[in-house]
Amino acid sequence: MTRTGPAGREAELRRLDAVLDGRGDAGGPAVVDLTGAAGIGKSRLLTELCLRARARGMVVLRGRATEYERHTPFGLFTDAFADLDPDLLRPEGTGATAATAGPSAALVEAAAPVLQGTLSTPGGADTARRERAAAVHADRFAVHRATARLLAALSRTGAGLLIALDDLHWADPASLELLDHLVRHPLRAPAITAVARRDRQTSASLAAALTRGIDTGAVLRIELGPLPERACVEGLAPGLPPGRAARIYAASGGNPLYFLALLQSHTADPDPDAGSVPRPGAGPGTRAPLGGLGSLLLDELTPLTAAQRRTVEAVAVLGDHAAPRPLAELVGGTAADLDADLRALALRDLVRPGPAGSWTLRHPVLRSVVHENADPQHRVRMHRAAAGALARAGASAPVRAHHVEQALTGWDPAAAAVLLDAARLTADTAPASSAHWLAVVLRVLPDGPRHARRRLELMLARARALGICGELPAGRDLLRALIDAVPPDEDTGLRLAAVTLCASLERHLGRYAQAVALLRRELSRRPAPLPSDALALGLELGSCAPHSTPYPEVRADLGRTRALARRLGDGAAEADALALSALGEAYEGDLVEAGRFSTRADALLEALGERELALLGESRARLSATEFYLEHYAEAERHADLGLAVARRGGPPHILAHLLQCKANALMSTCRLPPALELVEEAETIARGVGSPDLLALALTNKAQVLLASRPPGSPEPLSVAEEAAHVAGARTSWWASLAWCVLGYAALYAGDPERARTAVLRAAGPDLAGLQPSTRPLFLEALATAAVASGDLTSARSWAARASVEAEHLGLPTQRASALRGSALVLSAQGRSAEAVDLYVRAAREAASTGATLWEAQSLLLGAAAAPADGAAPALWHRGRALAEAGGALLLTGLADQLGPPAPTAPQTPAPPPPPAAIPGLTPREREIAALVAEGLTTPSIAARLYVSPRTVDTHLAHIYRKTGITTRAALAALTARSTPSP
């Protein structure tokens, strides 16, 4: 039977039915965005959507944000999970069958901060579970990923999944971050997320994410306007005399909430022209509507007895926790009296029953009006009683913190302890809530010497939380105040921690000059800092290079820092300083020095214990980047993996983002694009949460590079992401800003706009090309040569290609030589010198293959095929190039190859390389099997698990393979295996 749904919303319901029937299929919207004024009917439409989803057999999760609990972490999603059948989260229990097995226990545990008390068990076990869930110290981005996987698993337990989230404008920051992740990375499952919100009160970042989703087709926005008069009257007041109905409708402006309030407050003959009733949406306020509507809602409370009024106020205070027991504690009296009052209030439609015997007010706006108009002293007493009731029920500190905060009227050590405990428990998973509760304690902490030290410690803790949740300017300002308050000669470590953290925040804001100035001032102060302090300051100073602070300007400082670390016997600090030096030299193109520093840093890191390594994730990122620029891709991947193993267990999120991108770069160059794309998307999510413009610009730049190679020709996505990266980078002249503009040039080039490509790269390069990274300069000079050829400017193309050749020979890096060779080949091809061009393309392919840079090898081969005559080397080059590209997921190259079309097969001509053998000669079947798994990107432990052998056995086979083939790296083996696999 077809549901009719709310009258007046037929068009909207048809659009929602279409979304449900699509179940989030590829190409259709995965998110429904319902917007409109307060009381316009968003919640009613969301309810109807849930009913229709259930009728289709879908699992439905419905959560609602509340105005007064905006800092309860993941409260919106916790509420959504509360109604879930627990058996769906217990795959090993008796409630789960093989056909409907839910997520794994590990996945449920990883998402515990979101689930919180969903998996309830009787008595103390339930309390312990909630406390454990609240205390999980996973980083919040890992929680986002785990929750997304959990939702995807739940969608497969039925006919799909609907996540309905109401009153999104009141959601806590942690829930908004999680939703932002789901919007940017739609679930690869039959799942739909529907949100209802007031557009004017939505955070700018979430509104932007939803708008971008509309542009890509992932989000369907439905804006609700006023109901037609007939639908409003017949739906809310059937049988009302027509004249009276018309007057009330006119005064309500077609807003159901206003209409109902006017009707129930007995304003039978309002004067629409008198302005006594504001029209819906008349003002831009960020709270519940006041004025006329507030008065109308308060009029409904006038006939209530004193006990009934107390009960309504208690429900408003308790919110989602308005169950009979806490209600009784707040209201007092007998259980029978409370039941009688609740029945009377329900008859007036002021309160409505909820799940598990709980009660709620009719509408969130009514709750706001009741709460704000309660006697202030009585409201404080009720919140204090609510906090006590929740504590006795075993609620965690983050759940109780809202009521504790509302009950604060001055300094209260016991209340402060609850808030600080809540801040501690949420520091990693909900840092915005943690920062808020620390601010509350700081606000009531008494001034004076007794609490002075504690105040400074709390300021430092809050600055850390602000930095983690992306409020970098606020954290920086708090730290500067802290630094001014701590004398230079204090020796408790507070000043050092504040200075280094402040410099780090300045660095992540792209304010390198300010960071350097702060650090140099601290290093030169009198009395001089302790040697250990000078070491920490020197390491942070070195971290500013080679961004907008040229590495040569801090080269000597880093030399002194390395020497100081050796003198103090601090191996961890020396490894950090060596990694900084390695990256700086690699950036500048001094590859010998970079390799020397990298080797020494790696040796020191290998000798450190796990606790020390946990603090050095950034060193692994720097070594990975160094090895990438040295074109040692296997080593780059190894360092990234070692760093990720530590960073995923804890540590600053920006380090995790860097490591993800380091590994993605290695995977991209060796043409393993699908996993590379997953990594850069994860890095983007983290960068947006961190709030660093430079980090976000870098993440988007790397994402654009991977998208460029992994999307088919003509896809608008790479250029769109590259444009956003350049926009975020803005006018800054940092290393990453330069890279962003260069990648925009490449994206524009493949989008068919060579003039824009030239402009973008030259914008990054500057007049003397100094803005281009020396160790990768040939790559971007190739882009300039390609843009010039496409524009018909062969004179400029020859100049750029010649410059690339000089730079590449100076560097001596095979992949950079390949770039220079391709640039020169393109010029020769444009001049009609095809044979010479093909020769250079083949040489470029060999150069790239020698380092395992399979992506560039495939590109060189296909460009050679396009330049070669059909009766020459073209067929062999085309088949080999396309096979490599297809194996690595390089849809750009396979698409271009298919546009070119396979040339007619002929005998290979010089300089075409010989056709690939059927298999790598000399290898046993087991060795060929292991080589194939290496080519897929599997690690040694993963290969061992796949083949049911020990990792030592895999390493032994790899040693035999290396000896037989003469290669020494996994990347080179992967490339050799791909080249040795016949194309289909």
Side-chain angles (χ1 to χ4, degrees), residues 729-753:
R732 286 189 293 277
T733 56
S734 68
W735 171 17
W736 296 337
S738 172
L739 183 61
W741 284 97
C742 286
V743 171
L744 175 59
Y746 258 104
L749 193 60
Y750 280 96
D753 192 344

Side-chain angles (χ1 to χ4, degrees), residues 21 54 72 95 121 200 300 336 348 391 424 445 449 471 519 561 632 640 672 712 835 899 926:
D21 292 336
R54 288 193 180 96
T72 301
T121 53
R200 294 182 182 182
E300 293 189 59
R348 292 180 176 274
R424 176 183 61 82
L445 186 68
E471 297 290 337
L519 293 164
T561 301
H632 301 157
R672 290 172 283 168
Q899 289 176 12
R926 175 62 96 182

Side-chain angles (χ1 to χ4, degrees), residues 420-730:
L420 292 176
D421 195 27
R424 176 183 61 82
L425 291 172
T426 58
D428 296 317
T429 54
S433 295
S434 181
H436 170 78
W437 288 321
L438 288 166
V440 172
V441 176
L442 281 167
R443 188 175 67 241
V444 298
L445 186 68
D447 290 325
R450 179 181 176 186
H451 297 283
R453 171 73 184 181
R454 186 58 171 153
R455 178 176 297 279
L456 296 175
E457 292 172 343
L458 293 178
M459 288 173 67
L460 181 61
R462 183 164 189 263
R464 284 200 181 102
L466 288 169
I468 292 173
C469 71
E471 297 290 337
L472 303 187
R476 182 267 320 276
D477 294 344
L478 189 60
L479 287 166
R480 287 197 174 273
L482 173 56
I483 293 167
D484 291 341
V486 180
D489 58 348
E490 80 82 38
D491 59 356
T492 61
L494 261 177
R495 184 180 178 89
L496 172 68
V499 169
T500 53
L501 181 56
C502 185
S504 176
L505 295 185
E506 293 280 30
R507 172 162 59 95
H508 286 100
L509 283 167
R511 292 163 49 92
Y512 300 101
Q514 290 82 350
V516 169
L518 174 64
L519 293 164
R520 290 200 185 281
R521 185 188 73 185
E522 196 69 14
L523 283 165
S524 62
R525 67 175 171 80
R526 293 292 178 268
L530 297 171
S532 58
D533 291 356
L535 181 57
L537 294 167
L539 289 171
E540 182 56 41
L541 179 63
S543 298
C544 292
H547 301 285
S548 60
T549 303
Y551 173 73
E553 291 185 12
V554 297
R555 182 182 274 132
D557 295 285
L558 272 172
R560 287 189 290 272
T561 301
R562 293 195 307 270
L564 178 58
R566 283 195 300 274
R567 188 167 70 248
L568 295 177
D570 191 334
E574 186 180 0
D576 207 6
L578 285 165
L580 284 166
S581 298
L583 180 57
E585 300 294 354
Y587 176 89
E588 295 293 335
D590 191 339
L591 308 180
V592 174
E593 277 292 272
R596 185 170 67 87
F597 285 133
S598 180
T599 300
R600 289 171 56 193
D602 189 22
L604 283 173
L605 287 173
E606 291 298 320
L608 295 177
E610 185 169 345
R611 183 177 180 182
E612 293 171 301
L613 286 172
L615 305 175
L616 291 174
E618 201 160 11
S619 292
R620 286 293 185 190
R622 289 164 179 150
L623 291 180
S624 180
T626 297
E627 298 295 348
F628 175 78
Y629 293 128
L630 294 176
E631 299 182 1
H632 301 157
Y633 301 119
E635 280 298 291
E637 189 175 350
R638 179 178 71 86
H639 283 297
D641 282 335
L642 289 170
L644 286 169
V646 175
R648 288 201 183 279
R649 295 198 297 268
H654 70 271
I655 294 177
L656 176 58
H658 281 303
L659 287 162
L660 291 166
Q661 293 175 88
C662 286
K663 180 167 184 178
N665 284 334
L667 293 176
M668 180 184 68
S669 291
T670 53
C671 205
R672 290 172 283 168
L673 292 168
L677 184 57
E678 290 183 9
L679 295 174
V680 292
E681 286 183 337
E682 183 181 348
E684 177 200 0
T685 298
I686 295 172
R688 291 187 186 279
V690 167
S692 165
D694 267 20
L695 182 58
L696 180 56
L698 178 65
L700 290 169
T701 297
N702 284 321
K703 180 179 179 181
Q705 290 186 91
V706 177
L707 284 171
L708 193 59
S710 60
R711 292 292 186 258
S715 170
E717 193 176 2
L719 181 60
S720 174
V721 174
E723 287 173 334
E724 186 182 359
H727 174 73
V728 173

Side-chain angles (χ1 to χ4, degrees), residues 129 147 425 848:
R129 185 183 295 274
T147 305
L425 291 172

Side-chain angles (χ1 to χ4, degrees), residues 906-925:
T906 62
Q909 303 287 322
T910 303
I920 301 174
L923 298 188
T924 67

